[in-house]
Amino acid sequence: MNKDLLLHIVRFILLVLIQVLILNHINFLGFLNPYIYIIFILLVPINVNKSLFLVISFLLGLFIDIFSDSGGVHAAACTVIAFIRPVVLRSVFGLSYEFQTVKLGNLGFGERFLYVTLMVLIHHIVLFSLEIFNFSHILLILKKTLFTSLFTIVVTLLILVLLRRDDS
Amino acid sequence: MQQIINFLINNKNALLFLLLLILSLSFTVQSHSYHKSKIVSSTNFLSGGLYSWQHSVSDYFGLKIENERLLEENERLRNQLSALGVDTVSTKYVDTVSFDRPFSFTKARVIKNDYSKIDNYILINKGEKDSVFPDMGVITDKGVVGIVENTSKNYSRVISILNSNSRINAGLKKSNQYGSLVWDGKDPNIVQLETVPRQAIIKEGDTIITHGRSTIFPKGIGVGTILNYQLNETKSYYLINVKLFNDMTDIGFVYSIQNRDSKEIKSLEKID
């Protein structure tokens, strides 16, 4: 248990550092940056204390906000996906989620893909709506959401596959 | 009473969610209004220190380009100097106590530069300790970069010209008409100059400079050249696309401008 806790703390710090020091400067095609720090939220165990999970997700987003001077957009997006993660999990995994037998480490590719896609899409829609904050730019919001989501999903799936732990 | 407490306990996660969401939304709204985005800012010791450490590593890769840029600036300044015919061995003395120039420049290094978002900020490594304060202009050797918005002891946050909250006055070099510079969020090399009256005679390729109408920038700092223009819907103002002199995606060193007379000018403006 203690080892798991340490793993989560290290993962939190590493993801924030990688995001702000490397990935925020990619600017592929001028504006595309993958937001892979939400891997932390994706990989939190299913039976976690929900209040604690909400607060930690909020803090994760706030850290990214402080580093990238974006007000509170990442904090809001992270809080939203942390809150609706149970709904997403139930719709993706159905019964096996109800019985708490899902291990996020050893899922089939299809389920994993669906889970990551849903979470990333919701996160990015909230993120870019708040970042642009102007409904006359709705096409820009949709464009940014679509392309950045593609980028994030590909990078996230690659990282999840490459750094898979056998025992979890 | 019992029911209220039960309700609170049963819905504690939803309430916590709402609380956190409102908190983050209020940060967001604050960040969208100029001069209020002070709480969540990268000028603090943790993020400022991390970014300047990162920059001290990545700095070495740009030394050659930086050198060439300095040589270019030197060349230009030398040409100006010889065109002015300044006599460097003159015995004429100027009493700098009373005849000092109103503007003084402080060099600073950019340690974080955004340009892919709608609201972009730049972090520089000079702060209150080096007398950099809010509302001071920031330029490079080529042109305008932005205005200092938020300072801490060692770092300052600059609201970039590529920010939807930024409104910098600029105008034509060859006449006195002016407008305000805004950014539509599309191309980091092109900004828009609004509310130039249609009486102005403009053509593509004309130079846009700062106009010295505020205390922030002195007159004559370059901004860019006119790329194209059109009249607005009511046909009373021009909407001009301006190609910036600066490459906003590649800014190394900047100068912050302190106007020593700004207090005096502001106190005069207050009298009415």
Side-chain angles (χ1 to χ4, degrees), chain A residues 21 27 51 67-69 144, chain B residues 13 42 51 54 116-117 157:
Chain A
L21 289 182
N27 291 321
S51 313
F67 278 108
S68 50
D69 280 310
K144 273 195 148 180
Chain B
N13 285 328
S42 62
Y51 278 126
Q54 179 200 22
S116 62
K117 294 187 285 186
R157 185 164 76 160

Side-chain angles (χ1 to χ4, degrees), chain B residues 104 106 131-138 146-148 216 256-259:
Chain B
S104 72
T106 315
S131 17
V132 173
F133 292 104
D135 283 334
M136 284 170 56
V138 176
I147 297 172
V148 174
I216 296 173
S256 70
I257 309 171
Q258 186 182 17
N259 187 345

Side-chain angles (χ1 to χ4, degrees), chain B residues 44-180:
Chain B
N44 62 57
F45 132 87
L46 182 71
S47 51
L50 188 68
Y51 278 126
S52 64
W53 170 79
Q54 179 200 22
H55 206 82
S56 69
V57 175
S58 61
D59 232 15
Y60 288 99
F61 301 107
L63 280 182
K64 202 176 166 192
I65 300 167
E66 207 56 54
N67 253 335
E68 256 160 42
R69 203 175 285 170
L70 282 177
L71 280 175
E72 265 172 36
E73 190 185 5
N74 266 345
E75 186 192 8
R76 204 172 55 243
L77 291 176
R78 259 177 206 285
N79 282 337
Q80 279 178 12
L81 208 61
S82 63
L84 281 172
V86 175
D87 185 4
T88 45
V89 287
S90 164
T91 50
K92 201 167 60 184
Y93 291 107
V94 177
D95 179 6
T96 50
V97 175
S98 50
F99 287 94
D100 204 1
R101 299 287 306 278
F103 293 103
S104 72
F105 296 79
T106 315
K107 80 165 167 58
R109 212 171 62 187
V110 171
I111 54 176
K112 184 179 81 96
N113 178 22
D114 288 331
Y115 46 87
S116 62
K117 294 187 285 186
I118 291 278
D119 294 321
N120 297 299
Y121 295 95
I122 295 167
L123 197 65
I124 59 175
N125 71 341
K126 290 280 160 75
E128 285 153 18
K129 219 167 72 178
D130 313 276
S131 17
V132 173
F133 292 104
D135 283 334
M136 284 170 56
V138 176
I139 59 170
T140 65
D141 55 305
K142 290 190 188 130
V144 169
V145 169
I147 297 172
V148 174
E149 184 213 34
N150 195 347
T151 54
S152 68
K153 204 170 135 210
N154 292 309
Y155 303 100
S156 312
R157 185 164 76 160
V158 178
I159 180 162
S160 162
I161 199 170
L162 307 179
N163 187 313
S164 62
N165 295 323
S166 140
R167 294 270 181 287
I168 294 173
N169 277 348
L172 299 162
K173 191 178 183 182
K174 60 181 186 185
S175 71
N176 274 321
Q177 276 106 349
Y178 68 102
S180 53

